[in-house]
Amino acid sequence: MGRTVAEKIIRTHLVEGEMRRGERIALRMDQTLTQDATGTLAYLEFEAMGVARVRTERSVSYVDHNMIQGDYRNPDDHRYLQDVAARHGSIFSPPGNGICHQLHVERFAEPGKTLIGSDSHTPTSSAVGMLAIGAGGLDVALAMAGEPFCLPMPALLGVRLVGTLQPFVSAKDVILEVLRHTDVNGGVGKIIEYFGPGVKNLSVPDRATITNMGAETGATSSVFPSDEVTRRWLRSQGRESSWVELSADDDARYDEIIDIDLSELEPMVAQPFQPGKVVRVSALEGMAIDQVMFGSCTNSSLRDLLSIGHLLDGQKIASSVDAGISPGSRQVLLEATERGALSKMIRAGVRLLEVSCGACIGMGFAPPTEGVSLRTINRNFLGRCGHKTGKVYLVSPEVAAASAVTGVLTDPRAFARDRGLEPFRFSMPETFLIDDGLFEAPSPEPETIVIRRGPNIAPLPEMKAMEATVRGEVLLKVGDDITTDHIMPAGAKILPLRSNIPAIAEHVFEVVDASFPARAKEAGSGFVVGGANYGQGSSREHAAIAPRYLGVRAVIVKSFARIHLANLVNFGILPLTFVDESDYDGIDQGDHLSLETEHLLAGGAFIIRNETKDRPIACKTPLGQEDLDVVKAGGKLNYVKERLAVPSF
Ligand code: MIC
Ligand code: SF4
């Protein structure tokens, strides 16, 4: 039987297991990436494993998230990451070099290879036909230590593309259309693979926008074939030698297929507070806006900046709108400057923000109270832009640019028609302005590197093994689609605490119930109850470690998002689902529950007692035996430490 691109890459990296849907497989990881907001913990965990040098083909440590250096904390973290990379064998990308995903696609992504990254948008690199997967920091640290990455063999969701995008409709509209089909959980347990005659009409930056935001469907990864378009991209990045051709066989089998005719797509918009709340721009046209943010790892390629420059040429940003841009990388910024796109934006009145994630993660540039913010980013979760009343709408660079000028949500096709604008066409440069000067290679004399740790870098808290009886109160009951931005918010105030678990734990569930940390600490041990798709969004393992630190022992929900489920296991929180979902209604916040650990079985149902209501609740765990053993041991670090230890220098 024929194979898809993803299956071909999985087959060549399979270390354990059979490629049968849902069966546990272990994959060799060729490359890793980390970013500073998750990287400090990932490297602390790597250090705790006692492995002297990374055992991958390539590991890159990027600094792109925590860029507001309001005090010593973020710069201390950056310096720690610089030292630890030099000592342990990773390439270091300092602040100012660019956003990890944009840079990885430019400089390191390779067709046919595997990549695991401590950021949920790591699949961006799958735009060149690699299998790139987002994961928690501990799983990335293990991959750096040479361990394979384990996951259930995903199902394959094929997206057949035909046609060509019409002027002023772009790749963001494609992925928003996919999200209209899948919503925010339709990709869970699946790899999305793009095929069909329309694929060749999308450039690598277009593909990267699509694979990037595939994360919002819950998918494990989103993959494009490696074709002549890929080869052209690699050539213009001076890396043609890493090109291999990779496409699905004609008789490859997908578990389900979505058909999209690119020629028929229209500009789309995702409404607050979920990337799956997608409608056509025409449905909301004329809505007044307060802010426009261009950038993020979804839409800050050279192609996007040139398109924005094209629309803003000779225009003025509306006086009611505050507009800013964060270019995706130094290469993009230099190219956009050389080609005049930047000056078109600046003349129009756009603020130049830093080359970083920036406002995407609430690092400055928040909207006003109740403000409507149009952003080219990938997530619009409650509170993510800096506060709860801001309303973020996710759009393409073209919709953002046209609306910034008119001050209301605008269809860029009508905007261009009214102004007699020619369609924008992106021609790939023969060679980009390649300058790897800021990347730092690992030290040739690692034993001489002294790792500097600032006072904010606290040791990882110890996790105890699970008790025979787990007893406690339901500390919080929440609904469906709870994101890691609800559980462990980000933003300029909280992000500097990423390397200090006791300090960051004070903010757990802040946007839902600010009394949570105090109540959890007082109770000493407890449960969280939730609905479907619990933990969607980011890869931040802080959303597991910090609740665990506060005493959360188990989470009982209708279903889990993939990365958060793995993070719960890694830090010893027992993930449970209801056998009968209607039992969700029979538990209230404040109820006291108990469970006997000896009754826990992989795959089997067992009973938890609701002591307050004196009734049983049938639950099961989505885990296999090994993961269950990890939870019982108090987390993966305890579980694997012994097995991995090798003398460090
Ligand atoms: C995000 O976009 O939510 C982040 C910030 O990049 C996270 C990682 C983090 O929380 O540090 C992600 O996507 O995994
Ligand atoms: Fe950075 Fe935003 Fe991309 Fe996350 S989604 S990596 S915060 S740009």
Side-chain angles (χ1 to χ4, degrees):
M1 195 185 65
R3 294 189 199 283
T4 72
V5 170
E7 286 171 328
K8 288 181 185 183
I9 304 175
I10 291 174
R11 200 170 65 89
T12 53
H13 289 79
L14 199 62
V15 178
E16 253 175 67
E18 300 275 333
M19 288 170 48
R20 277 193 291 270
R21 311 288 194 254
E23 220 167 88
R24 183 185 163 89
I25 53 170
L27 298 180
R28 180 169 46 78
M29 286 294 141
D30 301 320
Q31 301 186 352
T32 66
L33 75 75
T34 51
Q35 42 88 342
D36 50 324
T38 55
T40 43
L41 272 198
Y43 276 93
L44 286 169
E45 289 153 0
F46 178 76
E47 286 188 292
M49 289 169 198
V51 177
R53 301 287 280 180
V54 297
R55 294 170 176 165
T56 50
E57 287 177 15
R58 174 160 282 147
S59 288
V60 191
S61 171
Y62 296 94
V63 176
D64 54 1
H65 279 64
N66 291 349
M67 304 279 278
I68 295 186
Q69 292 165 212
D71 61 23
Y72 61 91
R73 288 175 295 190
N74 290 339
D76 280 3
D77 282 358
H78 302 167
R79 196 168 61 177
Y80 163 74
L81 289 170
Q82 185 173 23
D83 292 346
V84 87
R87 176 154 177 144
H88 291 293
S90 303
I91 296 171
F92 180 67
S93 174
N97 210 22
I99 305 176
C100 56
H101 308 303
Q102 174 67 29
L103 278 173
H104 213 82
V105 175
E106 286 173 6
R107 307 305 306 139
F108 302 113
E110 285 182 48
K113 302 268 182 184
T114 51
L115 164 70
I116 184 171
S118 62
D119 192 282
S120 63
H121 294 105
T122 301
T124 316
S125 285
S126 294
V128 303
M130 88 187 294
L131 182 65
I133 300 177
L138 183 50
D139 284 323
V140 177
L142 283 164
M144 291 196 283
E147 291 289 294
F149 177 62
C150 298
L151 73 167
M153 173 68 196
L156 267 303
L157 166 56
V159 179
R160 182 167 32 220
L161 299 177
V162 298
T164 311
L165 288 170
Q166 296 303 298
F168 306 106
V169 179
S170 65
K172 183 65 154 282
D173 301 309
V174 180
I175 187 60
L176 289 174
E177 173 66 9
V178 171
L179 271 153
R180 208 167 63 82
H181 286 269
T182 61
D183 207 343
V184 289
N185 59 3
V188 178
K190 301 171 192 169
I191 292 177
I192 303 180
E193 188 164 320
Y194 292 84
F195 68 103
V199 165
K200 65 175 181 318
N201 302 327
L202 297 171
S203 68
V204 166
D206 292 335
R207 297 176 186 185
T209 294
I210 295 169
T211 52
N212 172 281
M213 213 174 156
E216 273 51 66
T217 70
T220 304
S221 190
S222 300
V223 181
F224 271 87
S226 169
D227 55 9
E228 282 303 320
V229 175
T230 322
R231 182 183 208 159
R232 178 82 180 73
W233 165 262
L234 289 170
R235 189 188 320 140
S236 64
Q237 289 289 343
R239 305 200 286 121
E240 191 175 357
S241 59
S242 60
W243 183 75
V244 290
E245 191 171 14
L246 207 51
S247 60
D249 296 326
D250 290 342
D251 56 345
R253 188 176 69 80
Y254 300 92
D255 298 274
E256 46 187 312
I257 290 181
I258 296 175
D259 280 293
I260 295 182
D261 183 346
L262 299 172
S263 324
E264 284 180 2
L265 285 185
E266 288 185 27
M268 312 289 268
V269 51
Q271 309 166 84
F273 291 101
Q274 291 291 337
K277 284 185 75 180
V278 178
V279 293
R280 294 189 171 88
V281 163
S282 54
L284 298 177
E285 220 167 343
M287 174 183 69
I289 60 168
D290 302 285
Q291 191 190 47
V292 169
M293 182 217 159
F294 301 105
S296 91
C297 58
T298 320
N299 275 124
S300 59
S301 64
L302 178 63
R303 181 250 163 243
D304 291 340
L305 265 65
L306 295 184
S307 177
I308 296 164
H310 179 73
L311 280 150
L312 293 185
D313 194 8
Q315 306 290 329
K316 279 275 168 283
I317 303 296
S319 58
S320 55
V321 173
D322 186 14
I325 181 154
S326 304
S329 70
R330 210 161 129 262
Q331 183 185 85
V332 166
L333 178 57
L334 289 171
E335 290 274 0
T337 311
E338 294 266 315
R339 292 160 177 243
L342 197 66
S343 60
K344 288 177 192 162
M345 290 180 220
I346 308 266
R347 276 182 216 282
V350 177
R351 289 162 62 180
L352 179 58
L353 307 170
E354 220 177 337
V355 174
S356 71
C357 298
C360 177
I361 187 65
M363 274 280 168
F365 204 62
T369 303
E370 303 289 344
V372 170
S373 181
L374 287 197
R375 298 185 174 209
T376 63
I377 66 178
N378 46 38
R379 290 187 171 148
N380 54 354
F381 301 144
L382 184 74
R384 187 175 161 94
C385 60
H387 59 91
K388 275 207 280 190
T389 75
K391 298 182 196 73
V392 173
Y393 289 75
L394 309 174
V395 294
S396 70
E398 292 73 21
V399 173
S403 309
V405 172
T406 59
V408 296
L409 186 67
T410 300
D411 186 327
R413 297 171 302 177
F415 178 89
R417 204 178 320 119
D418 294 348
R419 287 160 179 80
L421 259 186
E422 290 292 313
F424 164 74
R425 294 200 200 292
F426 176 58
S427 55
M428 191 66 72
E430 217 20 73
T431 314
F432 277 92
L433 294 169
I434 299 164
D435 175 0
D436 289 337
L438 285 193
F439 284 109
E440 288 173 30
S443 169
E445 293 175 336
E447 60 288 350
T448 63
I449 303 289
V450 177
I451 298 173
R452 292 163 292 175
R453 293 164 212 273
N456 185 46
I457 301 182
L460 284 171
E462 264 190 33
M463 304 284 177
K464 294 215 170 61
M466 210 170 195
E467 302 88 348
T469 305
V470 178
R471 193 168 259 124
E473 172 184 334
V474 176
L475 297 163
L476 192 69
K477 184 174 175 186
V478 287
D480 291 345
D481 294 324
I482 287 298
T483 72
T484 54
D485 278 279
H486 290 102
I487 305 169
M488 187 72 263
K493 286 199 297 283
I494 304 178
L495 275 167
L497 305 173
R498 281 289 180 94
S499 46
N500 187 337
I501 300 302
I504 206 168
E506 295 300 323
H507 300 276
V508 170
F509 279 120
E510 195 167 87
V511 291
V512 181
D513 177 350
S515 70
F516 182 88
R519 292 192 293 105
K521 276 197 284 192
E522 197 185 323
S525 165
F527 298 77
V528 170
V529 172
N533 199 28
Y534 182 83
Q536 71 155 316
S538 84
S539 67
R540 66 191 70 146
E541 52 193 356
H542 304 75
I545 311 176
R548 174 72 178 78
Y549 174 79
L550 293 174
V552 174
R553 311 313 307 271
V555 175
I556 315 170
V557 299
K558 294 182 183 169
S559 64
F560 287 99
R562 176 186 66 88
I563 307 180
H564 188 60
L565 174 63
N567 285 337
L568 290 175
V569 172
N570 287 351
F571 294 97
I573 295 183
L574 180 65
L576 298 172
T577 53
F578 296 102
V579 170
D580 177 353
E581 285 189 2
S582 66
D583 277 342
Y584 169 86
D585 301 319
I587 308 185
D588 291 310
Q589 191 163 313
D591 285 358
H592 281 262
L593 311 182
S594 68
L595 80 93
E596 302 299 329
T597 314
E598 61 173 0
H599 295 156
L600 281 175
L601 281 179
F606 60 93
I607 299 297
I608 286 189
R609 285 222 64 80
N610 185 336
E611 292 174 353
T612 308
K613 299 210 162 66
D614 192 21
R615 57 184 276 188
I617 310 159
C619 289
K620 56 187 192 300
T621 169
L623 307 181
Q625 192 54 52
E626 187 173 342
D627 282 342
L628 201 50
D629 291 343
V630 170
V631 174
K632 286 184 181 172
K636 214 181 229 172
L637 216 44
N638 293 353
Y639 188 73
V640 295
K641 225 163 157 179
E642 291 291 301
R643 199 154 57 85
L644 280 176
V646 295
S648 94
F649 40 68

